[in-house]
Structures are given as C-alpha cells and as structure tokens.
C-alpha cells in the first residue's frame, strides 16, 4: 500500500514557475514508477510525466516537453514536478500516481493516487 500526498500548487502568472512535490509513504517507494497527471475543468484526466524507479528514464506529454521536469529523491520518498514557462492551459488539478511496473501514460495502469493539488495560471 502506498499513500501519496501532493503539495506545491498555487496561483502563478503566465511564464512563471512552480514546483510540485509528492510525498509517498511506505518503504518500497524506490520500486515504483511515479507519474503526474492533470485534470482541467470539464476535461478528462491526462498524462503529464512519468519517471521510472531509479530516475534514469523520464517520459513527458508533448504539451509539456521542454517546460516540465520530473525527478525523484528515493531517500526522501518524494517525486517532484518542476513546471516552467507556465501557460493558462496548464491550469488544472495535478495528481501524483504510482504503479509497480514500467512507466506508462495509461491512467488505468496506476494503482495509487494522491488527492491532487490545484495549479492556476493567470493570463
């Protein structure tokens, strides 16, 4: 069982930056692939980024490639999402997710989810 708690969301202007954190419980954090998803009002939840257990492989949605960076610190049981050059279309609730297996963008493949943190980008 893994419990995930996101933090770091907030209100930022276009072009600004935010760093989200996701703290995980459990002693097997370094066995899990971690990912970030987001859900804007009236839209389906979508994949943002994923990172494998070691941090050696990362994956991004085309919409955030080059602007967002996912990383993890296994000693702190924490995964991060550094978001730069933010746009109004990045406004959403951001969710952290975990799965025991290879990285994937498929929402249904993730077993554990956090409660989400709101990110609002003003124009």
């Amino acid at each position: 069982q893994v419990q995930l708690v996101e933090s770091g969301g907030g209100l930022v202007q276009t072009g600004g930056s935010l760093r989200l954190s996701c703290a995980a419980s459990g002693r097997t954090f370094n066995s899990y692939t971690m990912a970030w998803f987001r859900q804007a009002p009236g839209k389906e939840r979508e994949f943002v980024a994923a990172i494998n257990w070691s941090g050696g492989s990362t994956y991004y949605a085309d919409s955030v490639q080059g602007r967002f960076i996912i990383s993890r610190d296994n000693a702190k049981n924490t995964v991060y999402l550094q978001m730069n050059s933010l746009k109004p279309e990045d406004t959403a609730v951001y969710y952290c997710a975990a799965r025991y297996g290879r990285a994937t963008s498929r929402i249904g493949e993730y077993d554990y989810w956090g409660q989400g943190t709101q990110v609002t980008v003003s124009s």
Side-chain angles (χ1 to χ4, degrees), residues 13-42:
Q13 291 186 333
T14 296
S17 298
L18 279 176
R19 188 176 82 155
L20 306 183
S21 299
C22 173
S25 65
R27 291 178 289 180
T28 58
F29 175 75
N30 60 5
S31 299
Y32 288 88
T33 286
M34 302 298 297
W36 289 94
F37 290 79
R38 67 186 181 186
Q39 187 166 18

Side-chain angles (χ1 to χ4, degrees), residues 41-63:
K43 295 188 176 181
E44 294 187 352
R45 194 170 299 188
E46 64 177 7
F47 171 76
V48 175
I51 187 167
N52 75 333
W53 67 273
S54 68
S57 296
T58 56
Y59 310 86
Y60 297 94
D62 290 344
S63 59

Side-chain angles (χ1 to χ4, degrees), residues 46-97:
E46 64 177 7
F47 171 76
V48 175
I51 187 167
N52 75 333
W53 67 273
S54 68
S57 296
T58 56
Y59 310 86
Y60 297 94
D62 290 344
S63 59
V64 307
Q65 180 76 47
R67 299 189 298 123
F68 290 10
I69 300 171
I70 188 171
S71 62
R72 67 190 295 161
D73 185 337
N74 286 342
K76 296 182 178 180
N77 281 15
T78 302
V79 62
Y80 305 97
L81 185 68
Q82 178 67 44
M83 305 186 295
N84 301 319
S85 302
L86 283 161
K87 306 174 182 179
E89 51 263 44
D90 294 317
T91 295
V93 177
Y94 283 71
Y95 297 90
C96 176

